[in-house]
Amino acid sequence: MICECRTDARSLVVLAPGLDRYPELTEFASGDDWVVHPGLGGVRVEVGTGSRWSGIAQVAAFLRTELDFARFGELRAAWARRGVALEEQLVTLLHAGRLADMVPADSSPLPAMLAEGRIESWFQPIFRAGALELWGYECLMRGRGEDGAIVSPGTLLEWAQQEQLTFMLDRQVRELHLRRAGAAGLPADCHVLINFLPTSIYRPEFCLRTTVRAAAHAGLQPSNIIFEVVETERVDPTQLRTLLAYYREKGFKVALDDVGSGYSGLAMMADLSPDLIKIDRELVSRAPGSAFHRDVCASLVKLAQDNGKLALAEGVETYDEWRLMTELGADLLQGFLFGRPHPDPAPRALVEPHVMASA
């Protein structure tokens, strides 16, 4: 299909057979200037210039985030059955691409893993420096293959991008982490770090309501939950500030990951003022042998503490790194030296036996 319009602004019709069975869709439509067409069995959304929806793929990703897997599976099956014939019927209205583009490729194991609940939460301990007392856990995503083999987070994210399911994966994992942490019987003062992708959240008051609800149902104190920004692409700072403000409004804390690498530079840190600053593991690993890297770590620790923030040294794997980060004044320590990720978050011991023996 070739469009000769002079603008990229388009109207996209999202067909939902039995629209009344999709209350999330109609609720969002009514609150976001989408037009509901009950007779047609669908909603119309504007995409392109002047809209926050750049195109059909972004709308589809949002729908996958908001509709549970069973209902979205039913909806995408209906789109697939109708296919190009439907597109030809609505060609003058759509001008936005093939409806088939909204159907995941199903060329990886991820859709089945999501549907069958084979995504897991693993937990890596974080300790207060000096006393080596348990401070909390970082929640980490793992997959489980049909053969029982562990699937790494990197592979899961690659599959999610391939299937256009990044948004659904991010939401389900966030809520899974909260449920698992709440059921683990952690100490009352134990903190929980949960990663999230900012680009998976379009409107926080709508997209994050299930996350807020999951935290409440888990019985966790919001002040003990830290949502950690993890992103490999540059994120719109305005959007990110809005997201972090929403989390804080609900009583949660926020963290910025890998300070010292990628986009997480000093300007971003100053702009967002996170409650927790995680010093990148490459800086930590090189600091014992490099005065420059040591000074950078020391400056980050001082910058955090002078502004009432916590500094966490991540990726601590050697005794030299442990001693140096403690000497520099890091508040928190995390790394293989103290404990590897494990599916059981309940503290079996404060630290690994070999660390206790040398403390």
Side-chain angles (χ1 to χ4, degrees):
M1 178 175 67
I2 299 175
C3 177
E4 297 180 352
C5 300
R6 295 178 182 275
T7 172
D8 71 342
R10 304 287 184 269
S11 291
L12 169 66
V13 171
V14 178
L15 292 167
L19 186 60
D20 58 345
R21 300 200 306 272
Y22 302 91
E24 300 94 337
L25 182 56
T26 52
E27 179 183 348
F28 183 80
S30 62
D32 202 53
D33 299 323
W34 291 22
V35 180
V36 180
H37 295 282
L40 180 63
V43 296
R44 188 177 76 233
V45 56
E46 303 300 319
V47 299
T49 301
S51 167
R52 64 191 181 90
W53 308 98
S54 62
I56 190 171
Q58 196 178 47
V59 175
F62 178 79
L63 292 176
R64 294 190 186 99
T65 306
E66 293 311 314
L67 301 181
D68 63 58
F69 197 89
R71 275 183 286 188
F72 185 77
E74 175 188 354
L75 188 56
R76 68 178 187 170
W79 288 331
R81 285 195 301 270
R82 296 188 181 193
V84 177
L86 176 62
E87 182 182 60
E88 292 172 350
Q89 295 172 29
L90 300 177
V91 63
T92 57
L93 183 59
L94 286 175
H95 288 292
R98 291 175 53 83
L99 287 178
D101 291 342
M102 300 182 79
V103 182
D106 285 334
S107 59
S108 79
L110 182 60
M113 294 174 72
L114 287 168
E116 298 168 9
R118 289 190 281 113
I119 305 295
E120 302 178 1
S121 288
W122 286 39
F123 298 81
Q124 184 173 26
I126 300 170
F127 296 94
R128 294 182 179 90
L132 285 182
E133 297 172 339
L134 181 71
W135 179 84
Y137 290 91
E138 179 173 3
C139 302
L140 302 167
M141 171 178 65
R142 297 289 188 272
R144 183 77 62 175
E146 290 185 342
D147 60 355
I150 295 299
V151 181
S152 71
T155 298
L156 292 174
L157 288 173
E158 286 180 10
W159 287 344
Q161 292 173 353
Q162 176 180 326
E163 302 285 353
Q164 301 183 59
L165 290 173
T166 302
F167 306 105
M168 178 178 284
L169 177 65
D170 186 64
R171 169 179 164 174
Q172 289 197 7
V173 168
R174 264 184 280 129
E175 296 172 14
L176 174 64
H177 288 329
L178 290 167
R179 290 195 301 272
R180 290 278 290 112
L186 301 178
D189 61 347
C190 189
H191 296 79
V192 179
L193 267 70
I194 296 177
N195 300 333
F196 79 99
L197 297 172
T199 52
S200 70
I201 301 167
Y202 295 109
R203 202 175 73 189
E205 67 274 19
F206 192 86
C207 299
L208 295 176
R209 62 181 182 172
T210 57
T211 300
V212 173
R213 188 183 307 133
H217 288 172
L220 302 173
Q221 291 296 322
S223 59
N224 288 340
I225 301 173
I226 300 96
F227 286 101
E228 179 179 340
V229 180
V230 178
E231 186 63 274
T232 56
E233 301 173 313
R234 183 170 292 277
V235 183
D236 176 24
T238 301
Q239 178 198 11
L240 195 50
R241 281 194 298 269
T242 300
L243 295 178
L244 299 191
Y246 180 85
Y247 274 128
R248 284 169 162 156
E249 178 187 326
K250 299 300 180 181
F252 305 113
K253 292 184 172 64
V254 296
L256 195 60
D257 191 24
D258 294 339
V259 172
S261 72
Y263 85 104
S264 301
L266 293 177
M268 182 68 75
M269 182 172 65
D271 192 37
L272 299 176
S273 187
D275 302 291
L276 174 65
I277 296 170
K278 298 185 71 174
I279 303 173
D280 178 57
R281 66 180 307 275
E282 184 174 353
L283 285 173
V284 172
S285 65
R286 298 181 67 178
S290 165
F292 185 84
H293 288 82
R294 183 167 60 249
D295 289 345
V296 171
C297 291
S299 297
L300 289 173
V301 170
K302 185 175 187 303
L303 186 61
Q305 295 178 346
D306 285 352
N307 288 276
K309 315 298 182 182
L310 292 175
L312 185 156
E314 63 178 343
V316 178
E317 298 185 359
T318 69
Y319 293 111
D320 287 342
E321 293 166 7
W322 170 26
R323 295 189 179 96
L324 179 57
M325 291 302 111
T326 302
E327 290 172 3
L328 295 180
D331 301 287
L332 304 169
L333 304 171
Q334 176 184 7
F336 287 176
L337 183 65
F338 307 107
R340 293 176 178 269
H342 193 277
D344 178 13
R348 297 170 300 282
L350 285 185
V351 291
E352 298 290 347
H354 65 278
V355 176
M356 287 290 290
S358 62

